[in-house]
Amino acid sequence: MLKVSGLSKHFGDNEVLKQINLEVKRREVVAIIGPSGSGKSTLLRCLNLLETPDAGHIEIDGFEVDARRLKKSDAYALRQKSAMVFQHYNLFKNKTALQNVIEALIVTKKMNKPDAEVLGHKLLDQVGLASKASSYPAMLSGGQQQRVAIARALAVNPAVILLDEPTSALDPELVGEVLQVIRSIVDTDTTMLIVTHEMSFAREIADRVIFMADGSIIEEGDPQSLFGQPQQERTKKFLGTVFSKN
Ligand SMILES: Nc1ncnc2c1ncn2[C@@H]1O[C@H](COP(=O)(O)OP(=O)(O)OP(=O)(O)O)[C@@H](O)[C@H]1O
Ligand SMILES: [Mg+2]
């Protein structure tokens, strides 16, 4: 479904991704954890060419790009395969919840407006926001805005959903409702790559957890093994710091 090989990225002298290899199977939920600055967001952003990698291959749902030989059409084609949910929602402020959800359906997928609206209402209902279709982002809480962003990601029926710390900008009391929506998506057999600081959530929903540090994948495994019996010192140290805070 998703395959990354030899992915590297520099910002100036800073080698942010060092030859990353990663495979995600259809319907697999993979959580990425790791310290700040380890390259987690950059990795997700490279997967849909929001950042241009220096080298490496990215294949999503049968479409492959070679970072050294990018064609103009590659970014568009690759973005058709995935949808990203950001920490800060990134909704259009001058559009209602419904308009935000159906924008890509109308503009990119060329769906007619009535059909898009039917689907949009269904998706808002799915994230518990049926009554907020005509609300503008400024009228919604952070948790509600993030749920709109998730509905928007689902709208294009992507092969894989990429979530980058979807709850870390939220007040603690709003985290639960967003995690609940993500849980409900996992139940629908979506393929998902999620960067999160919510360790107990990662443990609960992920089929596999990847620990990244300094631009490399240090260790990966099923949640029980990775959290219960980490093998690498770097992983132990990170988990020690994280869990001592809780
Ligand atoms: N646009 C950019 N220009 C220059 N350096 C960048 C840019 N984006 C990220 N970096 C650097 O790349 C490294 C990895 O950043 P990245 O945002 O991928 O880390 P992260 O693992 O997502 O961290 P966090 O947990 O804080 O979100 C950091 O050293 C960061 O400063
Ligand atoms: Mg990040």
Side-chain angles (χ1 to χ4, degrees):
M1 153 61 67
L2 182 149
K3 191 171 177 185
V4 170
S5 54
L7 191 72
S8 19
K9 174 72 182 169
H10 291 74
F11 288 113
D13 297 341
N14 190 3
E15 193 177 10
V16 179
L17 296 178
K18 301 172 185 166
Q19 297 276 332
I20 298 282
N21 298 312
L22 170 68
E23 263 188 72
V24 180
K25 295 193 190 74
R26 196 173 293 274
R27 298 189 178 149
E28 197 178 16
V29 174
V30 175
I32 303 177
I33 61 170
S36 184
S38 54
K40 307 180 298 295
S41 297
T42 306
L43 172 59
L44 287 200
R45 293 169 58 80
C46 282
L47 294 181
N48 53 16
L49 300 179
L50 287 176
E51 294 293 352
T52 309
D54 302 329
H57 289 82
I58 300 168
E59 183 186 333
I60 306 180
D61 193 27
F63 184 78
E64 186 178 352
V65 305
D66 176 347
R68 289 194 198 270
R69 292 187 192 83
L70 285 179
K71 296 195 287 293
K72 271 193 178 152
S73 55
D74 282 348
Y76 178 81
L78 205 57
R79 283 172 202 159
Q80 298 289 93
K81 300 290 188 185
S82 67
M84 184 130 171
V85 174
F86 301 89
Q87 184 175 3
H88 293 287
Y89 341 128
N90 296 14
L91 298 177
F92 294 111
K93 293 192 167 39
N94 59 341
K95 291 187 191 296
T96 64
L98 182 66
Q99 288 165 344
N100 266 285
V101 172
I102 66 176
E103 167 83 10
L105 291 175
I106 293 172
V107 176
T108 316
K109 301 267 176 186
K110 313 288 180 209
M111 192 183 269
N112 69 52
K113 200 169 168 212
D115 286 348
E117 284 183 350
V118 169
L119 180 55
H121 281 292
K122 189 174 147 241
L123 289 162
L124 283 172
D125 186 37
Q126 196 180 331
V127 299
L129 293 174
S131 63
K132 300 289 186 185
S134 339
S135 300
Y136 287 88
M139 298 149 70
L140 299 172
S141 73
Q144 290 169 337
Q145 290 183 59
Q146 190 59 300
R147 287 188 278 150
V148 172
I150 292 171
R152 177 181 58 180
L154 291 172
V156 293
N157 195 22
V160 55
I161 298 193
L162 312 168
L163 300 106
D164 190 3
E165 296 191 32
T167 60
S168 61
L170 299 175
D171 290 337
E173 71 269 24
L174 301 178
V175 169
E177 64 189 49
V178 173
L179 294 184
Q180 189 51 43
V181 164
I182 297 171
R183 250 181 223 113
S184 70
I185 303 174
V186 169
D187 289 341
T188 61
D189 286 340
T190 313
T191 308
M192 189 185 287
L193 201 48
I194 177 170
V195 173
T196 183
H197 286 305
E198 303 279 339
M199 297 301 152
S200 54
F201 184 65
R203 189 174 199 143
E204 170 198 330
I205 62 153
D207 300 306
R208 181 154 51 105
V209 180
I210 289 179
F211 172 66
M212 268 185 86
D214 304 324
S216 299
I217 293 177
I218 304 290
E219 182 168 357
E220 57 181 293
D222 63 79
Q224 281 73 10
S225 319
L226 191 115
F227 288 114
Q229 290 146 327
Q231 301 297 309
Q232 303 293 328
E233 283 312 314
R234 191 73 188 79
T235 319
K236 290 179 195 170
K237 190 168 153 234
F238 173 74
L239 292 175
T241 327
V242 170
F243 286 110
S244 68
K245 280 188 207 145
N246 298 333

